[in-house]
Amino acid sequence: MSSSQVVSQSVHTLLVPTTAEALLIPSAVVAEVVTVSNLVPLPAGPDWCSGLVAWRNRALPVISIEVLTGRPYVPSGPRSKFVVFFPLPGCHESQFFAIQSLTEPQPNNISDTKGMVVKTPNLPIAASALNLEGVVAIIPDLEWLKETLYPAR
Amino acid sequence: MADDNQFISIRIRNTSYLLPANASLGIEQRETLEINSGTGSNAVAWKVVGANKWPAYALDENLKLTGGNAWERVVYLQDGGRVVGLAAENIQIMNRDDVQVKPFLPVGPAPKSGKHVFSSSWIDGNTPVLTFEPSALAAYLTVVGGGS
């Protein structure tokens, strides 16, 4: 969705707080929100991969949005959650991943973005941005996210 | 030795990994190998096979080449026409019935050798255990080790 577009239908979203900008993501891309559990390192993994957790009998990479957007790493706190994403379009069915949320993500039902669209932050992850009652939320560019997480070989 | 129904559990720097047992050309104990005592090679040891010497390399927790003596065994793999070994603190055989692996592709760019070295994972209790993709691991060892 570009910043010039407005939502004409109701969209269920989750507002995912991070210590950088909040992310606004369609609920449909989220498989589950889970309590933080112990991370084990991904050997030779990128610095924005905080590690791996066990989820539904599989290894799930956890992504630090802070590091991915050039900020310092923030360890999980007592209220942190892992937001598990379904595999992005074009990815293998096994390629679930999670991002770390500062607190429980908040559901939002957005039916009209008129007056909410704000200047898109100059971040590659940002497709556009909305002002949600004073909170600037980035709508992530999922194609960029896919290419960053799973670069073509 | 090479059994389709087994995995090899490889312990490196207190982390366990799996390798399909049928990918192994053999597991050698330290005392059967020629130890590198400072030849300038990256290998920690070699298996002498006739006129050939098969190098073995040690990796750290970030899969970077390391030296030292914190290894007891080597598992050998085929890399095209070459044979290359991975040194480990411990190596155990596990039955496939005890290990349920699921596909896993690491995030981020693949190493310079071309392919990610992990292709699946197993959850041991609540701990992810990554499974090496044999040909990618062999190619990786050859590239980082320098092949000699």
Side-chain angles (χ1 to χ4, degrees):
Chain A
M1 188 174 69
S2 77
S3 59
S4 62
Q5 292 175 307
V6 292
V7 173
S8 58
Q9 292 179 315
S10 179
V11 177
H12 296 286
T13 65
L14 281 178
L15 183 65
V16 180
T18 75
T19 57
E21 292 80 2
L23 296 183
L24 187 66
I25 52 178
S27 301
V29 305
V30 174
E32 193 176 353
V33 176
V34 297
T35 302
V36 168
S37 51
N38 283 343
L39 288 163
V40 300
L42 170 61
D47 57 358
W48 42 259
C49 179
S50 310
L52 305 171
V53 291
W55 177 77
R56 295 189 188 178
N57 214 25
R58 66 175 73 240
L60 183 75
V62 177
I63 310 305
S64 164
I65 288 296
E66 287 86 355
V67 178
L68 192 62
T69 54
R71 278 64 169 248
Y73 173 70
V74 179
S76 60
R79 298 173 63 203
S80 297
K81 299 286 180 185
F82 291 151
V83 181
V84 183
F85 280 60
F86 285 112
L88 294 171
C91 286
H92 187 270
E93 62 184 16
S94 68
Q95 289 175 317
F96 292 85
F97 66 94
I99 60 173
Q100 185 177 301
S101 175
L102 204 55
T103 58
E104 182 88 32
Q106 297 301 310
N108 271 280
N109 197 16
I110 296 179
S111 56
D112 187 353
T113 57
K114 265 186 195 165
M116 298 166 66
V117 177
V118 295
K119 186 171 186 291
T120 305
N122 188 23
L123 296 168
I125 194 174
S128 59
L130 297 180
N131 186 330
L132 298 176
E133 298 177 355
V135 176
V136 174
I138 285 175
I139 299 172
D141 181 341
L142 296 181
E143 186 63 28
W144 179 86
L145 197 57
K146 183 185 86 171
E147 288 170 5
T148 303
L149 266 55
Y150 300 104
R153 297 174 175 89
Chain B
M1 183 181 70
D3 189 331
D4 286 344
N5 293 313
Q6 291 178 322
F7 277 100
I8 298 170
S9 174
I10 300 171
R11 193 151 185 86
I12 300 171
R13 299 285 178 113
N14 293 319
T15 299
S16 293
Y17 305 91
L18 295 176
L19 179 75
N22 57 11
S24 162
L25 290 179
I27 297 169
E28 301 295 333
Q29 296 195 35
R30 180 189 185 97
E31 50 269 28
T32 66
L33 301 173
E34 180 182 318
I35 306 296
N36 184 356
S37 53
T39 61
S41 165
N42 289 323
V44 292
W46 296 271
K47 178 180 169 75
V48 179
V49 183
N52 297 317
K53 290 172 77 174
W54 296 350
Y57 303 104
L59 302 177
D60 68 10
E61 59 274 21
N62 292 314
L63 303 186
K64 291 191 172 148
L65 205 63
T66 184
N69 289 310
W71 59 274
E72 292 299 326
R73 294 186 174 203
V74 169
V75 56
Y76 276 99
L77 307 159
Q78 189 92 36
D79 178 27
R82 301 180 182 184
V83 178
V84 63
L86 173 63
E89 293 158 15
N90 193 20
I91 291 175
Q92 290 182 314
I93 303 294
M94 301 183 74
N95 287 322
R96 276 192 192 256
D97 290 346
D98 300 326
V99 178
Q100 285 80 44
V101 298
K102 288 198 170 184
F104 171 78
L105 183 68
V107 291
K112 287 179 184 172
S113 51
K115 284 171 64 181
H116 280 295
V117 298
F118 303 114
S119 61
S120 59
S121 68
W122 168 55
I123 303 301
D124 181 14
N126 202 32
T127 303
V129 177
L130 298 178
T131 305
F132 286 120
E133 200 290 310
S135 63
L137 174 62
Y140 179 77
L141 288 168
T142 299
V143 168
V144 298
S148 63

